[in-house]
Amino acid sequence: MDKLVTRFAPSPTGLLHLGHARSALEGWRAAQDSGGRFLLRIEDIDIGRCREEFVAAILEDLTWLGLHWEEPVRRQSQNFDDYGAVLDRLRGADLIYPCFCTRQDIQREIEAAAAAPHGPDGPLYPGTCRHLSHRQREEKIASGVAYGLRLDVARAVARTGELSWHDDHAGAITAQPALLGDVVLARKDTPTSYHLSVTVDDHLQGVTLVTRGRDLFEATHIHRLLQALLGYATPRYRHHDLLTDESGRRLAKRDKALTLRAMREAGLAPAEVRARAGFA
Ligand code: GLU
């Protein structure tokens, strides 16, 4: 049997907290238990929000926690060409379209619509620019207006047919790629997106088990669609519960006392932190 390949893929926009430790340990333990491989990937496509000091802190805090990973660590900011090449494939297959809407345009359109489609996080992109003609697109691009690229989900689904994936906790899942609407795959200032780069990287790195928080469960519907469009194998998924505080609120970056750094400075041992993350 092929070796399991897992990964932990944090974004260096702050210090790691206990919730991150849980995700990291989930992947690490799965790899350890099966003699598999554990990878670390730095998801730093958002150059404006990511900081080198947080990359350094991630490496230091995970090492302190007792984890190690294969080198070299993949950094998304060094691989924009890979995502660009995949966008070109999707463009060539006529599955993406330029979207010129600003946030305000989208808001206005949603307010004007009698029944705007909704996703798990609120109203979805109403598809305004999907209906532009080739000529209108050319004219807008030539005029220099900023634009992003969106996936035409209905067209993509018409090509792939029904898809499914497996989650270790939730079982067999029928993909619902339309749940998040026509997601953005690239923006003017960031030539890729979370959905695109995570799908490409998990493929290029040969990841076979994706461990991450329940908050990213819905994103997997889109990742599954992209995998089918691009001819990638589909990994197994394990979306784990999110840690909460005493009042049942999800842990967030604002809970400064729960960063790995703060817990270490407060004198906790790595084993105690692992136990608090659910891995005694
Ligand atoms: N970079 C994402 C985050 O920090 C996680 C991506 C993933 O595990 O798929 O939330």
Side-chain angles (χ1 to χ4, degrees):
M1 212 174 88
D2 286 344
K3 274 190 179 177
L4 196 75
V5 182
T6 68
R7 73 352 177 236
F8 176 53
S11 299
T13 54
L15 291 172
L16 294 182
H17 60 68
L18 200 57
H20 291 112
R22 182 176 178 85
S23 283
L25 286 160
E26 194 78 60
W28 160 258
R29 278 286 169 90
Q32 290 283 298
D33 289 349
S34 67
R37 299 165 51 207
F38 176 69
L39 311 176
L40 174 66
R41 180 166 76 228
I42 301 295
E43 303 217 320
D44 55 352
I45 57 171
D46 187 347
I47 294 181
R49 289 179 58 227
C50 295
R51 304 240 184 292
E52 274 317 302
E53 65 188 274
F54 293 132
V55 176
I58 288 170
L59 304 181
E60 194 182 314
D61 291 349
L62 291 177
T63 303
W64 174 78
L65 201 58
L67 275 55
H68 40 89
W69 47 87
E70 290 186 8
E71 298 285 350
V73 170
R74 183 172 170 93
R75 290 193 54 163
Q76 292 188 325
S77 61
Q78 293 167 357
N79 294 286
F80 284 127
D81 287 354
D82 287 336
Y83 317 127
V86 171
L87 272 179
D88 286 344
R89 282 183 62 193
L90 294 171
R91 188 184 288 110
D94 208 13
L95 290 169
I96 52 179
Y97 61 87
C99 173
F100 306 92
C101 297
T102 61
R103 260 180 231 283
Q104 290 93 313
D105 292 336
I106 296 175
Q107 194 54 40
R108 240 179 281 125
E109 183 95 3
I110 288 169
E111 279 160 17
H118 272 63
D121 301 322
L124 297 176
Y125 176 66
T128 323
C129 289
R130 193 195 311 127
H131 308 296
L132 295 180
S133 66
H134 181 68
R135 173 124 180 236
Q136 286 170 312
R137 286 177 184 160
E138 295 293 299
E139 279 172 8
K140 278 185 183 277
I141 291 173
S143 76
V145 194
Y147 63 95
L149 294 170
R150 288 185 183 271
L151 181 65
D152 188 331
V153 172
R155 184 174 292 188
V157 168
R159 302 240 181 118
T160 63
E162 188 170 288
L163 301 167
S164 61
W165 47 281
H166 179 85
D167 180 89
D168 282 355
H169 298 302
I173 305 293
T174 301
Q176 291 176 265
L179 206 61
L180 301 180
D182 284 356
V183 291
V184 171
L185 292 188
R187 295 183 191 281
K188 177 175 165 275
D189 43 357
T190 307
T192 181
S193 64
Y194 163 63
H195 296 304
L196 183 68
S197 40
V198 84
T199 305
V200 171
D201 284 351
D202 284 338
H203 164 71
L204 291 178
Q205 296 191 285
V207 170
T208 59
L209 174 67
V210 171
T211 52
R212 60 185 174 204
R214 175 70 187 73
D215 53 328
L216 289 169
F217 190 93
E218 277 80 21
T220 307
H221 294 297
I222 280 290
H223 304 172
R224 180 66 190 93
L225 178 63
L226 288 170
Q227 288 154 6
L229 295 172
L230 297 165
Y232 296 168
T234 301
R236 204 170 93 214
Y237 288 86
R238 186 178 299 166
H239 293 95
H240 59 78
D241 286 347
L242 303 175
L243 295 177
T244 50
D245 61 17
E246 300 81 50
S247 57
R249 270 192 333 165
R250 182 183 154 190
L251 301 186
K253 284 194 175 135
R254 62 177 176 270
D255 300 307
K256 297 275 183 292
L258 293 177
T259 63
L260 301 190
R261 193 56 59 98
M263 290 190 282
R264 179 168 103 200
E265 282 166 7
L268 264 74
E272 290 172 288
V273 174
R274 289 197 297 267
R276 284 184 68 177
F279 289 84

